[in-house]
Amino acid sequence: MSPHGGTARRDRAGETHSLADFLPAERRRIMDGASETRRAQMRAAEARGRVFQAWNDVCAGTREGAHVTGLHYAAESDELIVYADGATWVAELTMMREIIRARMHLRGVDVSDIKVLRSREDYIRRQPPASPAATAAAHPAARPPRKEAAPHRGLSAAEERALDDEVSAIGDTRLRDALKNAMRASLESRTAPEG
């Protein structure tokens, strides 16, 4: 015994432990000591945390994610409600919601739906003032000319089968079809037309 009442330093020598070694036991200890109501609240909070973490894994650092002002997980309907800072971003995120759902599924989190709503005007995140260079770059005259859409072609039967194989592990039919359609569109736009 050490003079401080703990195990002697030599008993710990050479052993390293991460926080992950202690978390499961500590979680069990907390859950065992809690009432059933409190345990249900903690499980709901953990589920909400997993949903938010999956969203952040998929969308943090993206141009779309930069326009998200808030998230709310409605456990009773298993829906993730996303608040965006403008009508354009509501439309864009709405179009992307099945792709985002599929990517969250690949991270082990399933939600039945993602709804995108516009944030109240007084709740929109305030951006820091732009520098004069950024303001000049945002001016339409300073923008580069728009590129024409890249030509695309249909996929071959072999490519279609490969897509089917890629998404076959997803059990939710609607999610599987949405992901396949998104992947098909991406492949078609990246593949130059033949001939």
Side-chain angles (χ1 to χ4, degrees):
M1 241 354 197
S2 75
H4 301 290
T7 306
R9 178 178 220 88
R10 63 180 159 67
D11 294 341
R12 295 189 315 252
E15 294 181 27
T16 57
H17 295 280
S18 72
L19 187 56
D21 294 337
F22 299 104
L23 287 178
E26 185 62 16
R27 181 186 180 279
R28 272 192 309 275
R29 185 189 68 73
I30 292 170
M31 291 294 247
D32 288 346
S35 68
E36 186 53 44
T37 303
R38 186 70 179 134
R39 281 194 294 269
Q41 291 170 338
M42 287 189 273
R43 284 191 292 270
E46 288 174 337
R48 187 172 46 252
R50 285 189 298 274
V51 169
F52 293 163
Q53 182 62 50
W55 168 271
N56 286 331
D57 289 346
V58 171
C59 295
T62 65
R63 100 187 145 88
E64 295 83 11
H67 294 277
V68 171
T69 59
L71 298 172
H72 172 71
Y73 176 62
E76 61 280 353
S77 59
D78 192 32
E79 294 174 327
L80 178 61
I81 301 168
V82 177
Y83 294 94
D85 63 8
T88 303
W89 296 107
V90 169
E92 182 135 352
L93 286 162
T94 298
M95 289 188 302
M96 295 180 63
R97 71 179 177 223
E98 291 303 319
I99 295 169
I100 294 168
R101 237 178 106 223
R103 290 179 178 165
M104 289 173 67
H105 171 78
L106 293 174
R107 285 164 176 76
V109 173
D110 290 309
V111 293
S112 65
D113 195 16
I114 296 176
K115 289 186 177 176
V116 185
L117 304 173
R118 185 170 180 192
S119 295
R120 293 187 330 252
E121 284 297 322
D122 60 342
Y123 196 74
I124 294 175
R125 182 181 334 146
R126 302 289 179 234
Q127 299 295 329
S131 68
T135 304
H139 191 275
R143 290 185 186 154
R146 295 187 89 171
K147 294 181 182 179
E148 291 188 29
H152 66 276
R153 63 168 178 86
L155 300 181
S156 68
E159 290 169 322
E160 285 287 341
R161 282 192 302 276
L163 275 179
D164 285 333
D165 291 344
E166 190 81 25
V167 299
S168 65
I170 299 173
D172 183 328
T173 305
R174 195 173 112 206
L175 184 59
R176 182 177 56 243
D177 291 345
L179 181 59
K180 182 179 175 184
N181 289 337
M183 292 170 70
R184 179 186 299 117
S186 179
L187 287 172
E188 287 174 346
S189 69
R190 291 182 188 174
T191 309
E194 292 177 348

